[in-house]
Amino acid sequence: MNSTQAREISIEKVLQNLGCEPTKSNENESWYLSPFRIEKTASFKLNRKINRWFDHGEQKGGNVIDFVIQKFGFSVNEALSYLEKFDTFFSFQKQIFETPTKELNSTNHIEKIIPVQHVALIQYLKSRQIHNSKNIEQLKEIHYTINEKNYFALGFQNKSQGWEIRSKYAKICLGKKDISLIHNESKTLRIYEGFFDYLSIIQIQENLIMEESDYLILNSVALLVKNISVLSDYDFIELYLDNDTTGDKYTSLIMGKFENAKDCRALFHGFKDLNECLVNGGEIKD
């Protein structure tokens, strides 16, 4: 992500991510208690129309990069790295809650893990065009608390017993971030960035000429390099990473290291990922 792209990220969403909510707002502006210090009267102004902030107590302001640098003491490169995740975390239209994984480890608690049955979660799956998920062993309904507030969401278990949490409003990880690896005693491995892409391929598999395979769900594309040794166990590797710059980068990386790797993104040509293609009625074919 470059500076131009990062400046387009909504400061409001970053503030939500930090647990900040406005004390008052109108059509163009919102006022917050300063995220830089403890105060009783809101002095932090956000102009949503131009996506700029100004803190009257600090007498400082600027764009979203400036905010992250001021908040965390980051360098520009560190700020850009931090902001990368917001492209994915806030792809939902009405995201209302998200907390970084590193802050969750000491404050979250999983209350119960059950089969998916809540009507809101079933409707959310249907909105993502997933109608056939009952037999997915890794997919559960997770009830959890963060900072003594109760939440529930879909959960997809990873290799380290952590849970990738998804709902209409949340995209976080509870526990340690890791890959999910599904074994079917196959010598073919199919690789996806997120578990909704995996659910999508299971959804449409009957309509494609595809034999069963093992599946690697990265849960974060950055985990691919760390787990690259997993790929050595397979005769065939099929890559279904996102149609974006990051997906291009890691697809090229794997194809450069493994002669038996194949870029299969033509399956959802014209869409960012497999689930986006499914949701938008794209033609998915071999």
Side-chain angles (χ1 to χ4, degrees):
M1 175 183 289
N2 59 39
S3 296
T4 301
Q5 293 169 324
R7 282 193 289 268
E8 296 300 315
I9 292 172
S10 167
I11 298 172
E12 183 178 21
K13 299 304 184 183
V14 177
L15 289 167
Q16 286 179 348
N17 179 52
L18 295 171
C20 300
E21 295 294 338
T23 61
K24 61 180 179 178
S25 61
N26 57 37
E27 184 177 352
N28 295 323
E29 296 179 349
S30 294
W31 288 83
Y32 296 78
L33 296 174
S34 175
F36 305 131
R37 61 188 176 278
I38 297 174
E39 63 180 11
K40 295 182 179 180
T41 302
S43 64
F44 183 96
K45 182 177 75 172
L46 172 64
N47 188 319
R48 296 193 308 277
K49 189 173 183 179
I50 61 173
N51 198 33
R52 294 292 186 272
W53 64 275
F54 187 81
D55 189 290
H56 288 268
E58 301 287 331
Q59 285 296 299
K60 292 182 179 180
N63 59 43
V64 68
I65 301 173
D66 300 320
F67 173 77
V68 171
I69 290 173
Q70 177 71 16
K71 174 64 177 174
F72 299 107
F74 287 161
S75 67
V76 172
N77 286 337
E78 288 171 335
L80 294 178
S81 178
Y82 175 83
L83 290 168
E84 275 185 353
K85 61 186 178 182
F86 287 89
D87 258 352
T88 304
F89 278 175
F90 295 103
S91 60
F92 299 101
Q93 293 299 310
K94 294 182 179 179
Q95 181 83 20
I96 62 170
F97 179 78
E98 201 281 321
T99 306
T101 302
K102 64 180 181 181
E103 295 183 9
L104 286 174
N105 291 334
S106 61
T107 61
N108 78 89
H109 180 69
I110 294 177
E111 301 294 333
K112 63 179 177 179
I113 302 170
I114 60 176
V116 179
Q117 59 188 37
H118 196 287
V119 63
L121 299 180
I122 294 172
Q123 287 300 317
Y124 176 58
L125 284 168
K126 288 181 178 179
S127 75
R128 302 288 295 264
Q129 295 302 309
I130 305 300
H131 306 281
N132 181 24
S133 60
K134 290 184 178 180
N135 296 323
I136 305 298
E137 181 181 347
Q138 296 78 11
L139 185 67
K140 301 295 182 183
E141 179 176 317
I142 308 296
H143 291 248
Y144 60 101
T145 60
I146 295 179
N147 296 330
E148 299 182 353
K149 293 183 179 180
N150 297 318
Y151 301 92
F152 66 91
L154 299 172
F156 195 85
Q157 193 169 41
N158 65 37
K159 187 179 176 183
S160 294
Q161 309 306 308
W163 292 90
E164 296 297 320
I165 297 296
R166 301 292 183 273
S167 72
K168 186 178 180 181
Y169 304 115
K171 186 171 184 178
I172 60 176
C173 178
L174 296 178
K176 183 179 179 181
K177 192 81 170 176
D178 205 347
I179 61 171
S180 300
L181 187 58
I182 299 172
H183 293 283
N184 291 306
E185 298 183 357
S186 175
K187 296 306 291 182
T188 296
L189 179 69
R190 297 190 177 115
I191 303 177
Y192 305 91
E193 288 196 30
F195 76 79
F196 264 98
D197 293 322
Y198 166 68
L199 296 179
S200 298
I201 201 67
I202 298 300
Q203 182 72 35
I204 64 175
Q205 201 170 38
E206 295 179 358
N207 300 325
L208 301 174
I209 305 174
M210 299 178 72
E211 296 182 358
E212 187 59 277
S213 71
D214 285 6
Y215 299 94
L216 172 59
I217 299 94
L218 297 172
N219 297 317
S220 171
V221 71
L223 292 174
L224 181 54
V225 174
K226 181 180 178 181
N227 293 277
I228 202 166
S229 61
V230 172
L231 281 60
S232 301
D233 296 332
Y234 294 90
D235 295 337
F236 304 100
I237 301 167
E238 297 181 3
L239 297 163
Y240 297 86
L241 305 184
D242 289 359
N243 272 322
D244 57 15
T245 303
T246 303
D248 293 342
K249 172 185 173 181
Y250 285 96
T251 296
S252 297
L253 175 68
I254 297 306
M255 293 181 68
K257 289 182 176 292
F258 296 89
E259 293 182 356
N260 58 337
K262 178 182 178 182
D263 183 357
C264 297
R265 293 178 294 174
L267 190 70
F268 47 92
H269 177 73
F271 298 91
K272 182 180 179 182
D273 57 35
L274 188 56
N275 185 249
E276 182 181 282
C277 183
L278 187 64
V279 168
N280 289 280
E283 185 178 3
I284 302 175
K285 59 183 180 180
D286 289 328

